[in-house]
């Protein structure tokens, strides 16, 4: 491997335009494809094989019009007016009429079902009109209402609109014919235009619900700050603007090809915003780090070995490039292992992220040496060469790292115990971790999503932000018995955690009845989760008593099911990662102890990361520092995503740090001496890489999407803990503790394992033989 990469690096250096030209052509093709026909991004999170999805699929078969995405619009009346006044109510009714006339919106009157059901619906609507008119008259007479009121204009009920008890807020809920991601381009904007047109000049404020609002920007100011920090660190480590610019350039090229390619192919699969952002995060972070490792090795070969830039590039790609190839492959394998879980949502995210990392590796091994060829000897200035020679002669190079490694070697038991205790303490909140999907409540204050959520909560109660859809189905080919359905509806309305339960429609054949059920609490409240379980537990009694099947779906139920599914598969995936870690590290380091301690350190990292994430996002500790002012559950996919990504990235640092120790040991240093010597030569670039990766991930904490916030925070914390506590402190302390025993391997196993030559020893021997 190292010999092949050596030749590859020298060829790219000598023929830079061939290599760069190929990448640029590919990038132009991708950009052109996106410009011609860009796919749509979606923030919807669904998962196959869970109860809520199964009920939704049943609806798609039996009642397609009711299986589309939900829309919600909140209206606020001008000051000193209410929607109880005819002057304000009439434009609101016209607004809803415009919405229902849209071809992509289902008119609830079309869900009435059979003629018998339609007649029953008409009677129910007449009763609602009478009750609403009495309530409005009472409110206009100065009485305070304690229940929301349906909108009635001119003696006609306006379906889907509810007015708050004080009359200042109205909420419209409606159904699209399809899921929002499947709607034609511009369909949501047209619906909003229909809703707003009749209200022009009325001063009525229109607040679209989360499903109707634009997705938060994929990248913004926070992410830009992370890149600026990376640029500063690169300049401090590499010592010149030219050298610092190369990793940034190659990282951006890799992201353009990797994420851009996924975006260009987005017509063939559901492209979620989280998939794109995850690819962007990883592409930037690993792209910068991988290039940094190679450029740093090339510059040191030029200064220490006094090689030409051409030869140094070949050797850097052959040695550091081998480690980059292995590290990137490890990240790709860890991400690809997510596909084993069998969850389509995770599979898409994992494939996009893995492909972006693979592109970053290829760019580092081809485009980077080509750029180094263009820069040539200017990669190291004469002043930098002289300064290096002075530091070498004075023996001060790596002095800080050597002192730290020496300290850890002397106090190895204390250092190991301190790191283990610290990470376990940070992990304590994870014992209370509750998984779920963040709601509009978890967006930043001042955003449309948060304002809409709070307006609904204050006017109607939090439960209306997360309605449940209960589906009653006949167990034979006959229509659902209306009397039985009415009895079930009445029982549902009497449950403790239910605010209201109303009929919402019926299939044409009468075999399926829809019930809109509003919980008392919000979509992420534990009581709502208990309610979903109670409804499903009660389905057995409903079936036995009324001969009716009962199912529960809706976005709130879907979030609960996803959280439970992720909790089930997490131990399986963690087992896969641990086994993978032990096998891969045993092959790389030809040791039993090194893989065991590396895997144990990784488990400490994951536990501490989940604990810190729970404390900030669920408990609210220090969340103001990250621009947060709300709490909620930990995103359901986060533990499994962070485990896969953090494992791959942690192995990067493990390989670059410990391979340097092994190289020192192979060249004759004793166990503890090899730890100090290897650490002193590799720690500086590992620290720089960790700072860069942490800064890039941390930039995403300030993204508008609460799910992306959590991913950015968790990955930033994971890298910081793993790099500075585990790899920079625990690993050298444990390596010093075991000494030469750390590198022992049974002879029979040594014969079975392939020699990957990560350190490039075979390459250096061949080059040495040629020179002699």
């Amino acid at each position: 491997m190292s010999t092949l990469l050596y030749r590859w690096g020298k060829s790219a250096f000598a023929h830079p335009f061939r290599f760069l030209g190929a990448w640029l052509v590919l990038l132009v093709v991708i950009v052109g494809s996106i410009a011609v026909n860009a796919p749509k991004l979606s923030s919807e999170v669904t998962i196959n094989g869970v109860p809520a999805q199964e009920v939704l699929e049943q609806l798609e078969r039996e009642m397609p019009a009711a299986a589309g995405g939900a829309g919600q619009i909140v209206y606020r009346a001008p000051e000193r007016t209410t929607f109880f006044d005819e002057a304000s109510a009439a434009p609101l009714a016209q607004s809803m009429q415009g919405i229902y006339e849209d071809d992509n919106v289902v008119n609830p009157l079309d869900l009435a079902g059979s003629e018998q059901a339609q007649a029953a619906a008409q009677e129910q609507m007449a009763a609602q009109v009478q009750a609403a008119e009495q309530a409005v008259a009472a409110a206009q007479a100065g009485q305070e209402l304690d229940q929301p009121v349906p909108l009635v204009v001119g003696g006609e009920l306006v379906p889907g609109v509810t007015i708050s008890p004080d009359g200042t807020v109205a909420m419209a809920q409606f159904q699209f014919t399809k899921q929002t991601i499947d709607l034609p381009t511009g369909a949501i904007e047209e619906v909003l235009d229909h809703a707003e047109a009749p209200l022009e000049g009325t001063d009525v404020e229109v607040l679209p619900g989360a499903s109707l609002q634009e997705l938060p920007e994929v990248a913004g100011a926070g992410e830009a700050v992370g890149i600026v920090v990376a640029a500063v660190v690169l300049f401090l480590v590499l010592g010149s603007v030219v050298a610092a610019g190369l990793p940034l350039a190659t990282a951006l090229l890799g992201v353009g090809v990797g994420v851009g390619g996924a975006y260009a192919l987005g017509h063939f699969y559901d492209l979620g915003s989280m998939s794109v952002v995850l690819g962007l995060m990883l592409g930037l972070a690993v792209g910068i780090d991988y290039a940094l490792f190679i450029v740093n090795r090339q510059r040191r070969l030029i200064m220490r070995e006094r090689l030409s830039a051409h030869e140094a590039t070949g050797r850097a790609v052959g040695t550091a490039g081998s480690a980059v190839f292995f590290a990137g492959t490890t990240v790709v394998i860890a991400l690809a292992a997510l596909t084993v879980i069998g969850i389509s949502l995770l599979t898409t995210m994992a494939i996009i992220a893995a492909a972006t990392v693979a592109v970053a590796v290829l760019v580092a091994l081809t485009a980077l040496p080509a750029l180094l060829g263009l820069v040539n000897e200017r990669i190291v200035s004469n002043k930098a060469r002289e300064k290096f020679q002075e530091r070498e002669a004075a023996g001060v190079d790596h002095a800080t790292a050597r002192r730290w490694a020496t300290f850890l070697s002397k106090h190895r038991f204390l250092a190991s115990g301190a790191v283990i205790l610290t990470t376990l303490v940070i992990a304590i909140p994870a014992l209370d971790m509750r998984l779920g999907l963040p709601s509009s409540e978890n967006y930043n204050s001042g955003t449309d999503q948060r304002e809409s959520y709070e307006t609904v909560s204050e006017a109607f109660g939090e439960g209306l932000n997360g309605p449940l859809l209960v589906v009653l189905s006949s167990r034979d080919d006959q229509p659902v018995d209306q009397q039985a359905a009415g009895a079930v509806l009445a029982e549902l309305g009497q449950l403790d955690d239910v605010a209201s339960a109303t009929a919402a429609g019926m299939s044409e054949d009468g075999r399926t009845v829809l019930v809109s059920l509003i919980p008392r609490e919000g979509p992420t409240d534990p009581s709502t989760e208990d309610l979903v379980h109670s409804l499903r537990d009660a389905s057995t009694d409903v079936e036995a008593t009324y001969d009716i099947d009962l199912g529960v779906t809706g976005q709130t139920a879907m979030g609960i099911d996803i959280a439970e599914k992720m909790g089930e598969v997490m131990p399986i995936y963690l087992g896969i990662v641990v086994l993978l870690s032990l096998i891969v590290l045993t092959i790389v380091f030809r040791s039993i102890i090194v893989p065991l301690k590396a895997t144990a350190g990784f488990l400490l990292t994951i536990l501490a990361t989940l604990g810190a994430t729970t404390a900030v996002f669920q408990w609210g500790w220090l969340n103001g520092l990250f621009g947060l002012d709300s709490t909620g559950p930990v995103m359901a996919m986060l533990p499994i995503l962070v485990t896969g990504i953090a494992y791959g990235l942690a192995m990067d640092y493990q390989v670059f740090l410990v391979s340097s120790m092994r190289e020192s040991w192979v060249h004759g240093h004793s166990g503890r001496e090899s730890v100090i010597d290897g650490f002193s030569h590799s720690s500086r670039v590992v620290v720089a890489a960790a700072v860069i990766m942490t800064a890039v991930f941390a930039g995403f904490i300030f993204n508008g999407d609460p799910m992306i916030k959590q991913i950015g925070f968790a990955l930033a914390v994971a890298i910081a803990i793993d790099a500075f506590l585990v790899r920079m402190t625990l690993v050298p302390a444990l390596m010093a503790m075991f000494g030469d025993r750390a590198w022992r391997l049974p002879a029979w196993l040594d014969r079975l394992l392939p020699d990957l030559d990560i350190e490039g020893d075979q390459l250096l021997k061949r080059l040495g033989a040629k020179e002699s």
Side-chain angles (χ1 to χ4, degrees), residues 405-681:
T406 302
F407 172 82
L408 293 175
S409 177
K410 290 181 180 179
H411 305 284
R412 49 195 177 277
F413 293 102
L414 177 62
S416 301
V419 171
I420 293 172
L421 180 62
T422 299
T423 51
L424 290 178
V425 169
I426 298 173
I428 289 175
L431 297 172
D432 187 46
M433 184 173 61
R434 185 166 56 84
L435 298 179
L437 292 183
S439 67
S440 297
E441 177 188 16
N442 303 116
Y443 281 82
N444 289 343
S445 294
T447 60
D448 290 341
Q449 291 92 337
R450 179 71 171 274
E451 192 170 356
S452 175
Y453 184 96
E454 291 179 344
T455 300
V456 171
S457 298
E458 293 170 2
F460 301 98
E462 289 196 62
L464 216 57
N465 286 296
L468 300 172
L469 186 62
V470 177
V471 180
L472 305 180
S473 306
S474 172
R475 307 197 71 190
D476 50 38
D477 293 334
Q478 299 301 314
V480 173
D481 182 86
Q482 293 300 304
Q483 187 174 358
V488 174
L489 184 63
E491 290 184 11
L492 293 176
Q494 296 301 313
L495 295 176
D496 291 340
D497 293 323
V498 173
S500 66
T502 56
M506 179 183 295
S507 62
E508 190 67 31
D509 59 10
R511 295 184 61 246
T512 303
V513 175
L514 303 183
V515 176
S516 176
L517 189 145
I518 309 301
R520 291 193 181 278
E521 303 299 334
T524 62
D525 193 273
S527 66
T528 303
E529 180 180 349
D530 294 338
L531 173 60
V532 171
H533 290 306
S534 298
L535 291 170
R536 288 172 176 163
D537 292 341
S539 63
T540 304
D541 294 336
V542 171
E543 293 167 9
T545 306
Y546 301 104
D547 199 30
I548 293 176
D549 287 330
L550 184 151
V552 183
T553 188
Q555 194 59 39
T556 298
M558 184 70 71
I560 293 169
D561 289 347
I562 290 175
E564 293 181 354
K565 182 67 174 180
M566 292 300 172
E568 292 174 5
V569 301
M570 178 64 185
I572 299 173
Y573 182 67
L574 189 60
I576 292 173
V577 168
V578 168
L579 181 62
L580 175 68
S581 175
L582 293 174
I583 293 174
V584 170
L585 292 179
T586 299
I587 295 174
V588 171
F589 294 114
R590 315 189 76 77
S591 164
I592 298 296
I593 292 176
V594 170
L596 289 174
K597 69 166 186 57
T599 304
F602 168 70
L603 291 176
L604 289 175
T605 295
I606 290 301
L607 291 174
T609 299
L610 296 180
T613 305
T614 302
V616 171
F617 288 90
Q618 184 177 314
W619 289 3
W621 288 9
L622 303 176
N623 62 358
L625 293 177
F626 306 102
L628 306 172
D629 54 8
S630 66
T631 59
V634 174
M635 189 187 72
M637 289 82 70
L638 187 138
I640 200 167
L641 278 177
V642 171
T643 297
I645 296 170
Y647 163 71
L649 300 180
M651 293 308 103
D652 289 0
Y653 303 138
Q654 176 74 14
V655 168
F656 281 99
L657 185 65
V658 180
S659 62
S660 181
M661 297 178 184
R662 188 175 188 277
E663 183 180 1
S664 180
W665 181 76
V666 167
H667 286 96
H669 289 93
S670 66
R672 293 182 187 175
E673 291 175 349
S674 66
V675 171
I676 297 172
D677 183 68
F679 185 91
S680 64
H681 283 92

Side-chain angles (χ1 to χ4, degrees), residues 4 15 19 21 47 59 104 118 179 220 245 308 323 343 375 385 424 467 500 506 525 552 591 595 703 713 741:
L4 174 63
H15 308 285
F19 285 80
I47 187 171
L59 276 181
N104 295 301
Q118 291 178 15
Q179 294 297 320
S308 67
I343 297 174
V375 175
R385 297 171 196 252
L424 290 178
S500 66
M506 179 183 295
D525 193 273
V552 183
S591 164
N703 189 282
F713 175 86
R741 290 173 295 173

Side-chain angles (χ1 to χ4, degrees), residues 70-129:
Q72 175 180 297
I73 298 178
V74 178
Y75 301 87
R76 279 205 291 232
E79 290 187 18
R80 301 184 183 88
T81 65
T82 70
F83 290 117
F84 295 145
D85 301 328
E86 185 76 19
S88 298
L92 188 57
Q94 294 173 7
S95 174
M96 282 308 301
Q97 182 179 356
I99 292 174
Y100 288 140
E101 288 176 353
D102 191 283
D103 293 338
N104 295 301
V105 176
V106 177
N107 191 319
L109 297 179
D110 297 335
L111 301 177
S114 63
E115 292 184 3
Q116 181 182 1
Q118 291 178 15
Q122 290 293 335
E123 291 181 9
Q124 185 181 21
M125 289 173 63
Q128 289 178 327
V129 169

Side-chain angles (χ1 to χ4, degrees), residues 73-85 88-89 92 136 139-140 143-145 147-149 151 161-172 199 202-207 451-452 454-461:
I73 298 178
V74 178
Y75 301 87
R76 279 205 291 232
E79 290 187 18
R80 301 184 183 88
T81 65
T82 70
F83 290 117
F84 295 145
D85 301 328
S88 298
L92 188 57
V136 169
Q140 291 174 337
Q143 296 183 25
E144 291 187 3
L145 304 182
Q147 293 291 330
V149 180
L151 176 62
V161 184
T162 307
I163 302 174
S164 63
D166 64 1
T168 61
V169 176
M171 185 178 70
L199 300 172
T202 64
D203 292 331
V204 173
E205 186 176 0
V206 180
L207 297 172
E451 192 170 356
S452 175
E454 291 179 344
T455 300
V456 171
S457 298
E458 293 170 2
F460 301 98

